[in-house]
Amino acid sequence: MRLFFREHIPLLAFYFIQMALFPLLYWLDGYKQLPIIFYSMGLSLFFLTTYLFQRFISHKTFYRRMSQTMDALDDAMQKSGDSPLPEALDYLMERQFQCYQDEIIHYKKKLQDHITFINQWVHQMKTPISVIHLTIQDGDNEQSKSIQEELDRLRKGLDMVLYASRLDEFEHDFHVKPISLAPLVKKVIAENRRLFFRNKVYPDIQVPDDLTVYSDEKWLAFILNQLLTNAVRYSAGKGQKITFQGKQAGNYVALEVCDHGIGIPKQDLRRVFDPYFTGEHGREYQESTGMGLYLVREICKKLNHRVIIESEVGVGTTVRLSFDHV
């Protein structure tokens, strides 16, 4: 309603100026029959009011649409009315919507092609890594150990790229089922045994064998790998063990990964889940990408898990995962 009046303010202003001039012209011409003058002015006002009323009724939907914001793209396809102006607007919006959809489809295809390329490239890179690993696995010298260490870093980096590229299509790549936490934790630790030995940090498993949660085993294993890698990396030379503690708390199951390493500065703690944020300590470790905890948070959101991190500089860090109990 307000938009309708705002649009017709110039028309009404010119109209009333014109109505003020007509009696003056009649008077100057010597025509002094006031009833006839007022009758003609009233008749003119009646026609104007009728026109404005008819226009408001025929354009009511149009003005309402112009006054509201769109909450979704589908709102652009709503009809504005049957008059020429609303129909022209509807046609324009339809063309814009179609152009926008065409661009979205184009960029989605480019993104999908890029993700497909990344996935294929990662899988292709894993083959030479496996070959190199088999070649040096019997070597017991420092050079072989150094190569193995770099291979482990490369493998973890490729896994991060692979899982990050799959995150946008998460709904097509997960299967939730009851998972026993203790065997999964032990499996992840076994896969990272060289990382523990190399950094002289050792695992302490305090997860009951009967503790079961609903999750996706593959994605949960990736989460634990990220938390374990961070815990070991920032505990090397500072702490002696990484504790994996599982417990039931009411209707939830909590899994805590605790280290006694360098800890996280208070000013960095609220930003550790931001993408590409490495923080004060991250600048001291060239391996830090700032993506590990970000992926952990995003995966937890999609799996309906909760993740909380607590830390104190010089004391250590605790990351707590909470699951629905089976």
Side-chain angles (χ1 to χ4, degrees), residues 45 73 94 97 108 175 201 212 243 248 258 267:
L45 182 62
L73 281 176
E94 288 176 6
F97 185 78
K108 276 187 175 180
H175 176 61
V201 180
T212 306
T243 303
Q248 184 173 350
C258 308
Q267 66 272 18

Side-chain angles (χ1 to χ4, degrees), residues 113-124 161-162 165:
D113 291 343
H114 177 72
I115 292 175
T116 301
F117 170 76
I118 291 295
N119 291 340
Q120 291 178 347
W121 179 82
V122 169
H123 287 299
Q124 289 174 356
V161 172
L162 187 62
S165 67

Side-chain angles (χ1 to χ4, degrees), residues 15 18 84 131 134 158 163 215 222 230 240 258 283 292 300 318:
Y15 174 81
Q18 175 182 297
V131 173
L134 292 174
L158 290 175
Y163 279 87
S215 188
F222 176 79
N230 284 348
Q240 296 182 351
C258 308
R283 300 183 186 95
C300 284
T318 298

Side-chain angles (χ1 to χ4, degrees), residues 167 219 222-227 230 273 291-303 305-307 319 321:
L167 196 59
W219 287 97
F222 176 79
I223 290 174
L224 294 178
N225 263 300
Q226 294 302 312
L227 299 182
N230 284 348
F273 292 113
M291 288 297 291
L293 287 178
Y294 165 72
L295 291 175
V296 167
R297 183 189 64 178
E298 294 303 305
I299 295 170
C300 284
K301 284 182 181 179
K302 293 179 181 296
L303 289 173
H305 303 334
R306 292 157 294 282
V307 56
V319 181
L321 297 174

Side-chain angles (χ1 to χ4, degrees), residues 84-308:
L85 183 60
E87 287 180 348
L89 174 66
D90 291 340
Y91 177 75
L92 176 63
M93 295 297 290
E94 288 176 6
R95 293 300 303 159
Q96 287 184 333
F97 185 78
Q98 187 61 50
C99 291
Y100 186 71
Q101 276 194 321
D102 292 342
E103 285 199 24
I104 288 180
I105 293 172
H106 171 70
Y107 284 109
K108 276 187 175 180
K109 185 178 184 305
K110 288 183 66 176
L111 178 61
Q112 185 58 49
D113 291 343
H114 177 72
I115 292 175
T116 301
F117 170 76
I118 291 295
N119 291 340
Q120 291 178 347
W121 179 82
V122 169
H123 287 299
Q124 289 174 356
M125 291 302 101
K126 285 188 174 183
T127 301
I129 289 176
S130 300
V131 173
I132 297 173
H133 171 71
L134 292 174
T135 304
I136 65 170
Q137 66 178 353
D138 295 329
D140 196 27
N141 52 47
E142 290 299 322
Q143 185 178 13
S144 296
K145 292 180 180 179
S146 178
I147 294 175
Q148 186 63 62
E149 179 179 347
E150 298 303 323
L151 284 177
D152 289 341
R153 292 176 179 173
L154 183 57
R155 185 182 294 111
K156 287 181 179 296
L158 290 175
D159 283 340
M160 181 176 290
V161 172
L162 187 62
Y163 279 87
S165 67
R166 289 175 174 174
L167 196 59
D168 289 334
E169 297 184 351
F170 185 87
E171 62 276 8
H172 303 304
D173 191 33
F174 80 104
H175 176 61
V176 174
K177 63 179 181 179
I179 298 173
S180 181
L181 274 181
L184 181 61
V185 170
K186 292 176 182 177
K187 176 184 176 183
V188 172
I189 290 174
E191 292 173 351
N192 290 273
R193 58 185 180 276
R194 285 190 297 270
L195 181 65
F196 281 101
F197 295 152
R198 189 164 57 242
N199 291 278
K200 299 180 180 179
V201 180
Y202 304 99
D204 177 22
I205 305 175
Q206 300 179 16
V207 182
D209 292 334
D210 60 345
L211 209 55
T212 306
V213 298
Y214 277 116
S215 188
D216 179 276
E217 184 172 354
K218 179 181 64 177
W219 287 97
L220 183 55
F222 176 79
I223 290 174
L224 294 178
N225 263 300
Q226 294 302 312
L227 299 182
L228 181 153
T229 301
N230 284 348
V232 173
R233 178 188 300 160
Y234 296 119
S235 296
K238 301 290 183 181
Q240 296 182 351
K241 66 178 181 179
I242 306 295
T243 303
F244 296 83
Q245 184 177 22
K247 55 187 177 182
Q248 184 173 350
N251 296 326
Y252 300 97
V253 171
L255 176 64
E256 296 182 350
V257 180
C258 308
D259 68 66
H260 304 281
I262 58 178
I264 302 172
K266 188 176 181 179
Q267 66 272 18
D268 290 347
L269 195 57
R270 61 186 178 85
R271 298 183 59 194
V272 293
F273 292 113
D274 294 346
Y276 307 110
F277 178 75
T278 56
E280 181 179 327
H281 293 317
R283 300 183 186 95
E284 302 173 9
Y285 295 81
Q286 296 303 316
E287 299 176 24
S288 298
T289 63
M291 288 297 291
L293 287 178
Y294 165 72
L295 291 175
V296 167
R297 183 189 64 178
E298 294 303 305
I299 295 170
C300 284
K301 284 182 181 179
K302 293 179 181 296
L303 289 173
N304 198 29
H305 303 334
R306 292 157 294 282
V307 56
I308 300 174

